[in-house]
Amino acid sequence: MKNTFRKGGIHPAASKIASRQIHIQPLPMVAYLPLSQHIGAPSKPIVNRGDKVTRGQRIAENASFVSAALHAPISGTVAAIEPSVLPSGKPAMTIIIKASEEEHAADTEARRNYWNDIISGVSDRTLSERLSGDEIKHRILEAGIVGLGGATFPSHVKLTFKPEQQAEVLILNGCECEPYLMCDDALMCSYPGRIVEGVELMMKASGIPKAVIALEDNKPEAAAALRSAIDPQYDITVKVLRTKYPQGGEKQLVEAVTGRRIASGALPLSVGAIVNNVATAFAVWQAVATGQPLIERVITITGEIPESERCNYLAAIGTPLADFPFTLPEEARAIVGGPMMGRTAVRLDAPVMKGTSGLTLLAGKSRRPVQPCIRCGACVDACPMGLEPYLISTYGRLHMFDEARVSDVADCLECGACSWSCPSSRPLLDYIRIAKQRSRK
């Protein structure tokens, strides 16, 4: 029997699109680059209004060790550095770049040539041997790479730890258990060799001798492609896990791969593991092998829209979500990410960011009325962290934040399994998020 995590979990409908093809989304004429696209201190601008910049040029630097650089996804002129609105509706200081027609045409041609070279180019499998671990980490830092699975933790930080904390295994997360989303699956099927080479570079950068690429058994094509790309001289294996949500959670994935459980408040490193996303490995390969920083990523446009519009796109960071070709459903509900862990977008002129995995567009169906809790325990059975969601949610609703803290609200993954499983349609996760946020203060 295939491995999975032991506690909780649910099986929502996958609702995945059939095609794993990646379409090239045109570069925007205007790019919006928020300075805070990662965990940690916002980037510090190193350009001014009126400056000319070129595609790939660094425009903001790390403000601290836990921070990430930012690069121009298009050539053009810095039109402004001012507050702009994120998809959530929150304001954030943003660098705005506007391109001319000539700059846009030149960038488009250079980008087309770059991706053609990736597809047809010959691999240099000696990079991880010729470069030192510190050199690789420096290139990762310079490229502004963060975790692309959603957490956006700066990658150079994650690959740096004390010798006494030496990890035993590097786990690459290819589960993509969130319904609707297909960006990681498409990337694994399209560029398996580049992902594996990125894994080799991450192993060298971290000094970890062994790597496991983990994905669920609903991705047989990706598993086969990755296995065929592995160089036998590296201790890299592909592990296929039983499909269950939220398999992609760090703690759940580590348990499924290694059998080790991570204690409350602890990190994967406490059991000898480091977890990164497969898209992050691909970005590492791009940065080290080609010199391209993190200026674009694959996202999925999906949901209750025409089948022809449900696609995976290679999109420049800073592209307004409204630029993508889709038809809004009636009374549409737009979610940045997937329907389980994504956040509602209050406006679609906001940009794609480093952590944007997709846009899910759902019809505005009327929600069932919230009913009283029937004490069925379904939310407890579903919780992968072994929490009591009904109780913590009540603490959040009643502003009993100290009690929520004692009940380990900080361990909540915000996976939404509790709300999904509730027969009374109670907004459990909404109140848990409130309790989690306020209990930190």
Side-chain angles (χ1 to χ4, degrees):
M1 181 180 291
K2 297 183 179 74
N3 289 4
T4 187
F5 57 97
R6 287 169 285 179
K7 186 175 291 185
I10 58 175
H11 295 87
S15 302
K16 306 282 188 177
I17 61 180
S19 173
R20 291 171 178 80
Q21 183 178 357
I22 299 174
H23 299 263
I24 305 296
Q25 171 68 10
L27 294 172
M29 293 294 295
V30 181
Y32 299 84
L33 291 309
L35 296 175
S36 184
Q37 301 192 35
H38 52 270
I39 289 176
S43 308
K44 181 181 178 182
I46 55 174
V47 293
N48 297 300
R49 182 180 178 182
D51 287 354
K52 283 283 188 180
V53 296
T54 57
R55 177 172 157 85
Q57 177 183 330
R58 186 157 45 145
I59 57 175
E61 62 186 4
N62 301 54
S64 67
F65 180 60
V66 184
S67 185
L70 190 61
H71 301 76
I74 60 173
S75 301
T77 303
V78 177
I81 303 176
E82 63 186 20
S84 182
V85 178
L86 303 180
S88 64
K90 294 181 179 179
M93 193 60 68
T94 301
I95 298 176
I96 302 172
I97 303 172
K98 293 186 178 180
S100 67
E101 294 288 349
E102 294 78 12
E103 289 165 328
H104 185 267
D107 279 349
T108 298
E109 180 64 20
R111 184 192 193 204
R112 183 185 301 114
N113 292 336
Y114 174 82
W115 283 95
N116 286 340
D117 289 343
I118 280 186
I119 294 172
S120 59
V122 178
S123 299
D124 180 2
R125 301 304 285 266
T126 66
L127 270 175
S128 60
E129 300 170 7
R130 291 190 286 106
L131 297 174
S132 70
D134 286 342
E135 287 174 318
I136 295 171
K137 275 192 289 190
H138 181 71
R139 295 193 188 187
I140 292 171
L141 180 148
E142 290 290 304
I145 297 175
V146 301
L148 299 183
T152 64
F153 198 82
S155 297
H156 68 279
V157 179
K158 207 166 197 180
L159 295 172
T160 303
F161 39 84
K162 298 175 182 178
E164 61 268 24
Q165 296 177 309
Q166 182 60 51
E168 302 169 18
V169 60
L170 173 66
I171 300 175
L172 279 300
N173 185 356
C175 290
E176 198 167 43
C177 57
E178 179 82 38
Y180 285 104
L181 300 184
M182 288 281 291
C183 53
D184 288 348
D185 196 357
L187 197 61
M188 289 186 287
C189 288
S190 299
Y191 302 106
R194 304 313 193 190
I195 290 173
V196 170
E197 290 168 53
V199 175
E200 295 169 6
L201 292 165
M202 295 170 86
M203 292 170 70
K204 180 64 173 288
S206 60
I208 301 175
K210 174 183 178 181
V212 176
I213 305 175
L215 63 168
E216 295 184 316
D217 57 11
N218 59 1
K219 301 176 181 64
E221 296 89 352
L226 290 165
R227 283 195 176 107
S228 66
I230 292 173
D231 187 332
Q233 70 173 307
Y234 294 95
D235 190 356
I236 302 174
T237 57
V238 174
K239 192 173 186 67
V240 177
L241 307 172
R242 183 154 54 93
T243 298
K244 185 167 67 167
Y245 179 87
Q247 192 99 251
E250 268 195 340
K251 293 189 176 183
Q252 286 65 42
L253 187 59
V254 169
E255 180 184 355
V257 172
T258 69
R260 303 169 186 171
R261 300 205 67 183
I262 302 170
S264 174
L267 298 173
L269 189 57
S270 66
V271 295
I274 294 291
V275 181
N276 278 276
N277 185 265
V278 290
T280 309
F282 182 77
V284 165
W285 175 81
Q286 283 185 284
V288 178
T290 75
Q292 176 166 298
L294 182 54
I295 55 175
E296 52 192 349
R297 62 159 298 156
V298 178
I299 73 168
T300 305
I301 304 295
T302 184
E304 295 169 342
I305 57 178
E307 183 68 27
S308 61
E309 296 179 356
R310 297 173 64 186
C311 297
N312 301 298
Y313 291 96
L314 175 72
I317 307 299
T319 302
L321 292 168
D323 283 8
F324 292 87
F326 56 77
T327 304
L328 282 174
E330 187 175 351
E331 298 181 3
R333 183 160 57 98
I335 302 169
V336 177
M340 298 299 293
M341 295 189 73
R343 299 296 183 100
T344 298
V346 299
R347 53 192 302 166
L348 293 178
D349 56 351
V352 171
M353 299 198 293
K354 293 181 180 182
T356 304
S357 55
L359 179 68
T360 305
L361 300 160
L362 303 177
K365 299 172 183 176
S366 58
R367 180 174 176 172
R368 285 181 55 203
V370 175
Q371 301 292 329
C373 176
I374 61 174
R375 308 295 192 271
C376 67
C379 62
V380 177
D381 292 338
C383 181
M385 293 304 297
L387 303 177
E388 297 177 290
Y390 71 92
L391 179 63
I392 300 173
S393 174
T394 300
Y395 287 149
R397 180 168 58 84
L398 299 178
H399 293 195
M400 298 171 67
F401 304 127
D402 290 337
E403 289 82 354
R405 186 184 304 108
V406 173
S407 296
D408 297 323
V409 66
D411 285 344
C412 174
L413 302 177
E414 302 184 32
C415 69
C418 55
S419 294
W420 184 88
S421 64
C422 179
S424 296
S425 301
R426 298 184 67 76
L428 300 174
L429 180 56
D430 295 339
Y431 286 119
I432 291 173
R433 278 175 169 158
I434 293 171
K436 186 176 179 181
Q437 182 181 27
R438 296 293 297 273
S439 65
R440 294 192 188 114
K441 297 180 180 179

